[in-house]
């Protein structure tokens, strides 16, 4: 989202709007997001920085009152300091905001670990992410990219273009190459085309967000992909693209949760309908059991040996052919007959109940399929929320409820991280219950060195670890529900549940961890994520 060419224009726009303003305060209302409030006497703006590797973005937004609870404050020593300049590193995605005290905020917008550092005298004195790791170290330095004069003839068109200009937006190059037939060009023409495309980015920007969700500076003549939004300022399009990406992520996660629930229910209902359709077999068994009862009653005056498992009698329903009837150790033949009469009665009852239940289960299956069809067509989060509210009773009948609903009767808190369910203990006894119920392959987490809740990531039948972002988010929950809640970041250990044991006679909530890994994470309130 913040390609180098994007940052050229963004830096100019930010400098124009916040130059001479004062740093008011900075908070992190959500994981991986920093809001920096800056302003003059009569106005305040927010500089929003997302360090999510999939949604890295920096842009200015309008004022919005900060949350008063469960937020983390950052860089209090900058409060009241005047902004004197903003600066973009030459040919690199490092943007600085300078203050009159000589300190600066250095935004690193590349690699898988974006971050913002407070720098003084060329030394990092604080950081948004992992401050303890970075304090006292040298800040990131601009890395001059390698611009090639010659194009390698055997490389792909995309690699040829990035040899000429490594700063080009790589996510858009495949479409650019296809539209202009770059694959058919000679190396010399590829170089000339690349230089021309670079000049268009530098001198003739057309900020827009494509229907694909990508931010773009090329005009439709250069890249003929329809626009979702066109802007006069780069900042506005970056803001739109970021918010749209966040919206789509939240929509996907919430929609996937409901879709998986409906898919499970559909599978169960289809299986149930299939079984109920086989109800005729119960009627057939009823006839067979009743026949056994009649045949046995015809021999009720006879005795049987306790050691016998079957009895052989003449089947007067089948021309007196010999038939073997299993015995069930009921005592007398009459009692064996009574057993089969009861079996026949139960089988007929099951048949009648199945006949009565089948249309109801078919209706439920049809309802689930209808819900699946409606869900598939929803592409906006507000529409999904409205749909969930509209169908709340239908979904609840199927067993779907909110985390809050489930927590009323649950001995521990339950939340979702993507498709993974996360359990969080409420107290020492709840911690014991949670950990004892967890499967050996589940992931167990706890804030290191302080009291707090046990946290478990449910893994189902999977033996692998979940994606790292899931572990980090659950670790943030563990930090929040611990005595490290007030820290900017806290160490959280995690391991497989099978490596956690409770010593005999140990106090409630006390465990021994045989092996562990540790991550430094900011506390996250799951109710606000």
């Amino acid at each position: 989202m913040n390609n180098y060419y994007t940052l050229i224009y963004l830096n100019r726009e930010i400098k124009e709007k916040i130059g001479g303003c004062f740093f008011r305060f900075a908070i992190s209302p959500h994981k991986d997001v920093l809001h920096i409030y800056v302003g003059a006497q009569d106005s305040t703006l927010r500089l929003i920085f997302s360090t999510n590797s999939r949604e890295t973005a920096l842009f200015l937004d309008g004022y919005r009152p900060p949350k008063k609870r469960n937020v983390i404050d950052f860089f209090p020593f900058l409060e009241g300091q005047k902004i004197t300049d903003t600066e973009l590193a030459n040919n690199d995605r490092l943007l600085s905001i300078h203050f009159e005290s000589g300190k600066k905020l250095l935004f690193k917008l590349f690699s898988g670990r974006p971050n913002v550092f407070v720098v003084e005298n060329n030394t990092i004195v604080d950081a948004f992410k992992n401050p303890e790791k970075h304090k006292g170290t040298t800040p990131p330095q601009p890395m001059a990219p390698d611009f090639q004069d010659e194009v390698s003839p055997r490389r792909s068109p995309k690699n040829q273009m990035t040899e000429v200009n490594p700063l080009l937006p790589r996510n858009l190059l495949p479409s650019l190459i296809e539209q202009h037939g770059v694959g058919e060009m000679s190396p010399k023409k590829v170089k000339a085309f690349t230089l021309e495309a670079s000049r268009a980015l530098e001198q003739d920007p057309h900020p827009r967000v494509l229907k694909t969700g990508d931010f773009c500076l090329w005009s439709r003549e250069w890249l003929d992909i329809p626009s979702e939004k066109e802007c006069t300022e780069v900042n506005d399009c970056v803001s739109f693209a970021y918010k749209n990406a966040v919206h789509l992520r939240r929509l996907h996660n919430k929609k996937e949760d409901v879709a998986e629930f409906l898919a499970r229910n559909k599978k169960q209902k289809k299986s149930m309908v299939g079984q109920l359709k086989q109800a005729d077999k119960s009627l057939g068994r009823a006839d067979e059991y009743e026949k056994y009862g009649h045949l046995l009653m015809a021999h009720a005056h006879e005795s049987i040996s306790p050691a016998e498992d079957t009895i052989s009698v003449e089947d007067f329903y089948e021309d007196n052919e010999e038939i073997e009837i299993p015995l069930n150790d009921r005592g007398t033949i009459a009692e064996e007959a009574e057993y089969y009469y009861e079996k026949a009665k139960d089988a007929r009852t099951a048949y009648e109940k199945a006949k009565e239940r089948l249309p109801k289960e078919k209706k439920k299956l049809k309802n689930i399929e209808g819900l699946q069809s409606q869900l598939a067509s929803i592409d906006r989060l507000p529409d999904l929320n409205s749909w969930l509210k509209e169908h709340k009773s239908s979904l609840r009948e199927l067993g779907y409820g909110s985390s809050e609903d489930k927590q009323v009767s649950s001995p521990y808190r339950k939340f979702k991280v993507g498709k993974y369910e996360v359990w969080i203990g409420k107290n020492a006894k709840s911690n014991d219950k949670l950990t004892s119920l967890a499967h050996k392959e589940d992931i167990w987490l706890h804030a290191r060195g302080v009291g707090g809740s046990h946290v478990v990531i449910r893994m189902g039948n999977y033996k692998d670890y979940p994606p790292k972002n899931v572990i980090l988010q659950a670790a943030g929950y563990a930090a929040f529900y611990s005595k490290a809640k007030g820290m900017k970041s806290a160490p959280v250990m995690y391991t497989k549940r099978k490596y956690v044991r409770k010593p005999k006679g140990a106090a409630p909530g006390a465990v021994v961890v045989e092996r562990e890994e540790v991550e430094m994470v900011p506390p996250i309130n799951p109710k606000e994520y």
Side-chain angles (χ1 to χ4, degrees), residues 389-400:
K389 187 175 181 180
E390 179 185 350
H391 296 282
K392 184 176 181 179
S393 59
S394 297
L395 290 166
R396 185 161 290 175
E397 284 178 14
L398 296 171
Y400 183 85

Side-chain angles (χ1 to χ4, degrees), residues 42 106 125 154 172-173 185 235 247 257 262 266 321 410 427 464-465 476 484:
D42 56 349
L106 176 63
V125 296
R154 295 185 180 181
L172 300 178
L173 291 185
M185 295 180 183
N235 184 81
H247 166 268
D257 182 36
L262 290 175
K266 180 179 178 180
E321 292 183 4
S410 174
N427 49 47
D464 294 333
Y465 277 77

Side-chain angles (χ1 to χ4, degrees), residues 21 27 33 35 37-38 69 73 79 107 140 178 198 221 232 298-299 328 345 349 406 408 413 416 443:
C21 290
I27 62 170
V33 178
H35 288 190
Y37 285 73
V38 298
R69 297 178 57 192
D73 292 312
E79 291 178 12
F107 295 85
E178 181 180 0
S198 301
E221 288 73 22
T232 55
H299 296 270
N328 294 274
K345 181 182 176 181
T349 301
K406 295 176 185 176
V408 171
R413 305 172 184 89
K416 295 285 286 189
I443 310 303

Side-chain angles (χ1 to χ4, degrees), residues 316-328:
F316 45 74
Y317 292 102
E318 297 291 341
D319 297 326
N320 292 325
E321 292 183 4
E322 288 286 321
I323 183 172
E324 292 280 335
I325 300 177
L327 298 176
N328 294 274

Side-chain angles (χ1 to χ4, degrees), residues 258 371 374-375 378 383-391:
V258 185
L371 291 171
Q374 293 174 25
L375 181 66
I378 296 173
D383 293 341
L384 177 59
N385 291 332
S386 298
W387 182 85
L388 287 170
K389 187 175 181 180
E390 179 185 350
H391 296 282

Side-chain angles (χ1 to χ4, degrees), residues 6 44-45 52 85 135 168-169 175 199 211 226 233 255 373 388 403 412 442 462 476 527:
T6 307
T44 301
L45 294 172
N52 186 313
D85 195 13
K135 283 181 181 178
L168 292 173
S175 299
R199 276 193 294 272
K211 288 287 186 182
E233 290 192 344
K255 189 173 177 180
S373 177
L388 287 170
S403 295
Y412 39 78
D442 289 347
Y462 297 101
K527 294 179 182 178

Side-chain angles (χ1 to χ4, degrees), residues 69-207:
R69 297 178 57 192
N70 301 317
V71 296
I72 304 171
D73 292 312
F74 287 87
F75 318 141
F77 46 81
L78 290 177
E79 291 178 12
Q81 293 202 18
K82 186 176 181 180
I83 297 170
T84 57
D85 195 13
T86 70
E87 179 185 14
L88 178 65
N90 187 34
N91 292 332
D92 207 349
R93 288 172 290 170
L94 289 168
L95 190 146
S96 303
I97 295 178
H98 296 262
F99 297 92
E100 58 185 350
S101 64
K103 292 185 176 70
K104 69 178 180 180
L105 283 174
L106 176 63
F107 295 85
K108 174 189 171 190
L109 293 110
F110 57 86
S111 83
R113 296 180 179 177
N115 206 344
V116 55
F117 309 99
V118 181
V119 179
E120 185 175 24
N121 297 325
N122 201 37
T123 301
I124 295 176
V125 296
D126 204 354
F128 175 47
K129 306 295 288 291
N130 302 316
E132 298 306 319
K133 175 183 175 182
H134 296 291
K135 283 181 181 178
T137 64
T138 303
Q141 301 298 314
M143 300 286 289
D146 188 13
F147 296 88
Q148 298 290 328
D149 288 330
E150 299 296 327
V151 176
S152 305
R154 295 185 180 181
R155 303 198 74 184
S156 68
K158 181 178 178 180
N159 287 337
Q160 288 179 333
M161 291 186 71
T162 54
E163 280 183 330
V164 178
N165 185 358
L167 301 175
L168 292 173
R170 299 182 183 223
N171 59 315
L172 300 178
L173 291 185
S175 299
L176 189 76
I177 288 166
E178 181 180 0
Q179 179 177 330
H180 294 275
V182 178
E184 308 302 319
M185 295 180 183
S186 65
K188 185 176 180 180
K189 287 187 176 180
V190 171
K191 180 178 179 180
F193 174 81
T194 303
L195 293 174
E196 191 178 352
S198 301
R199 276 193 294 272
L201 293 175
E202 293 171 354
Q203 301 172 13
D204 187 27
H206 291 258

